[in-house]
Amino acid sequence: MEDRKFYTLLVYSENIAGILNQITAVFTRRQVNIESLNVSASSFKGIHQYTITAWSTPDQIEKITRQIEKKIDVVKANYYTDDQIFIHEVGLYKISTPKLMENPEISRTIRWHDARMMEVNPTYTTVQLAGVTEDITNLYDKLNGFGCILQYSRSGRIAVTRSPEEPIAEYLHQRRQEELS
């Protein structure tokens, strides 16, 4: 059996109700677990970008991508490895203010990771860190070691390709040319 790798899929679709369900159903049918999912507007009006991460084999991820691209409201779908894209996540940590005040090492750890304190009150302090997954989880591990974490949340991955153009730019250009003809 082939080794599984971590892939990021970038899927572009029109903003139609139900398309997310159709996309995730492709993963379910192939019994591939989605690790993270982020949906937002793209740089093109009316087009949304889905950033989906999953562990898969090369053959399996190729089949999943082709099946997703066949969906009528999907404009384009591509899969990437981490070296082919720029990635980012956000981590939010709610920590105990009393523990923060009694242990200066907690504050040093937050500064060392270039995290920001968003809110400080007598009960809790909210800390934000933007970066790659390893940075986010590393800070969590350090803060958890101090026993000061009250809550923790991490966003899904967002990504852009290393290509100078948006992956759907050519497709949308051709579509506009056809509409003008």
Side-chain angles (χ1 to χ4, degrees), residues 43-134:
S43 57
F44 295 96
K45 186 178 175 164
I47 303 292
H48 275 61
Q49 177 179 326
Y50 301 72
T51 306
I52 306 166
T53 62
W55 288 94
S56 180
T57 63
D59 182 54
Q60 196 174 40
I61 202 71
E62 196 171 303
K63 288 176 183 173
I64 288 170
T65 303
R66 279 198 315 262
Q67 284 182 320
I68 290 171
E69 207 163 42
K70 287 180 184 176
K71 303 294 177 193
I72 195 152
D73 297 315
V74 170
V75 176
K76 187 79 176 144
N78 289 310
Y79 62 92
Y80 303 91
T81 55
D82 285 358
D83 61 329
Q84 297 172 309
I85 54 177
F86 292 105
I87 56 175
H88 219 65
E89 291 184 13
V90 174
L92 287 177
Y93 314 80
K94 186 159 108 178
I95 62 174
S96 165
T97 300
K99 288 189 180 188
L100 172 67
M101 300 308 282
E102 71 187 37
N103 186 348
E105 199 57 37
I106 296 172
S107 182
R108 278 191 212 95
T109 300
I110 291 167
R111 284 193 311 275
W112 188 86
H113 281 84
D114 288 329
R116 288 184 13 192
M117 289 189 193
M118 306 296 290
E119 178 184 351
V120 179
N121 67 44
T123 309
Y124 64 85
T125 298
T126 307
V127 177
Q128 175 189 321
L129 177 62
V132 295
T133 307
E134 294 77 26

Side-chain angles (χ1 to χ4, degrees), residues 4 6-9 11 19-39 50-56 61 64 68 154 156-157:
R4 294 178 345 137
F6 196 67
Y7 290 98
T8 300
L9 279 80
V11 179
I19 190 68
L20 178 59
N21 188 39
Q22 293 177 42
I23 291 169
T24 58
V26 173
F27 286 88
T28 303
R29 280 194 301 276
R30 296 240 172 226
Q31 297 184 350
V32 173
N33 187 48
I34 293 173
E35 295 292 326
S36 72
L37 171 66
N38 187 310
V39 182
Y50 301 72
T51 306
I52 306 166
T53 62
W55 288 94
S56 180
I61 202 71
I64 288 170
I68 290 171
R154 193 175 94 213
R157 176 179 278 196

